[in-house]
Amino acid sequence: MERLATNIAVNLRRIRKMKNMSLDHAAIRTGVSKSMLAQIERGEANPTIGILEKIVDGLRVSFDDLIARQEAKGYAIERCKMTPVREAAGQYRVYSCLPYEDGRNFELYVVEIESGCCYCSELYDDRAYEYIEVTDGNLELSIENRVFYVKKGDFFCFDAGKEHSYRNRGEERLSMTIFITLHFRM
């Protein structure tokens, strides 16, 4: 019973906030007093079936929406099972960890470049920005006619609509995580 009261408390607060309702507004819509709603949200009251019915009717949600346990949603992306989306044998590998999809306005890549090798990136929309974290090695980044050096553990951000390439002049493999978005501007 305690878990049910916890589910109701969490869900009532989430639903009310999602609908941009104050406790006062929710009380008017449901016919349940503001103090009772507050007690339910804090897990201090066990509402009767009649009160729950008023809440679901007033907030226009299903009974399941109010009592169901909210499961954490997520998934693992296993690097060991990924295949490169771009590759030049013995030179570089590009892994697409999170490609553009409906509802996602960014891409996430991991790029590995072997010692002495270079990878020339495709040009992106002129609204795109690229954010790089160097996780191993040292990056020599060429953007049009300028060269930038980014060390392991450092970050770099730039307009991805410009011609650019990544070079590994070091002796160890260069590895970096690249986040690309079309919607945010610097």
Side-chain angles (χ1 to χ4, degrees):
M1 195 64 156
E2 187 175 310
R3 187 171 71 197
L4 182 59
T6 301
N7 291 353
I8 292 168
V10 169
N11 290 332
L12 177 57
R13 181 172 179 79
R14 178 183 53 79
I15 291 165
R16 184 176 61 79
K17 294 287 186 182
M18 187 177 70
K19 292 179 176 273
N20 293 318
M21 284 187 190
S22 66
L23 280 170
D24 288 322
H25 189 211
I28 292 166
R29 292 270 307 265
T30 63
V32 177
S33 73
K34 175 182 173 180
S35 62
M36 175 55 83
L37 290 172
Q39 288 175 351
I40 294 169
E41 283 189 5
R42 290 192 305 266
E44 296 171 354
N46 289 317
T48 65
I49 295 293
I51 289 176
L52 293 176
E53 186 176 4
K54 286 181 174 184
I55 292 171
V56 297
D57 288 345
L59 297 180
R60 293 183 172 88
V61 295
S62 73
F63 189 69
D64 284 345
D65 288 339
L66 193 59
I67 66 167
R69 181 169 184 235
Q70 294 295 310
E71 297 293 328
K73 294 179 179 150
Y75 57 92
I77 300 167
E78 297 181 54
R79 176 77 179 277
C80 64
K81 293 181 181 175
M82 294 174 65
T83 56
V85 293
R86 287 183 218 91
E87 179 176 28
Q91 295 180 37
Y92 65 81
R93 285 164 303 290
V94 179
Y95 299 91
S96 178
C97 303
L98 295 170
Y100 280 116
E101 292 180 349
D102 287 341
R104 183 183 303 130
N105 60 359
F106 64 88
E107 293 176 292
L108 183 69
Y109 294 96
V110 169
V111 177
E112 296 174 342
I113 303 173
E114 299 302 326
S115 177
C117 296
C118 180
Y119 169 62
C120 295
S121 179
E122 63 185 78
L123 284 178
Y124 284 89
D125 184 294
D126 64 356
R127 297 171 298 145
Y129 263 79
E130 190 166 311
Y131 304 83
I132 299 172
E133 176 190 14
V134 175
T135 53
D136 283 308
N138 294 296
L139 167 64
E140 179 183 293
L141 175 64
S142 297
I143 306 171
E144 292 186 328
N145 296 322
R146 295 190 63 193
V147 176
F148 302 90
Y149 298 94
V150 188
K151 300 183 311 266
K152 177 181 178 176
D154 289 346
F155 298 84
F156 195 86
C157 171
F158 66 98
D159 179 348
K162 309 284 186 211
E163 196 170 306
H164 58 283
S165 63
Y166 318 92
R167 181 173 300 281
N168 180 0
R169 294 213 187 266
E171 297 195 15
E172 64 182 84
R173 176 184 295 155
L174 166 64
S175 184
M176 56 192 160
T177 303
I178 300 176
F179 176 86
I180 300 169
T181 181
L182 290 176
H183 298 284
F184 300 112
R185 300 301 286 173
M186 289 180 18

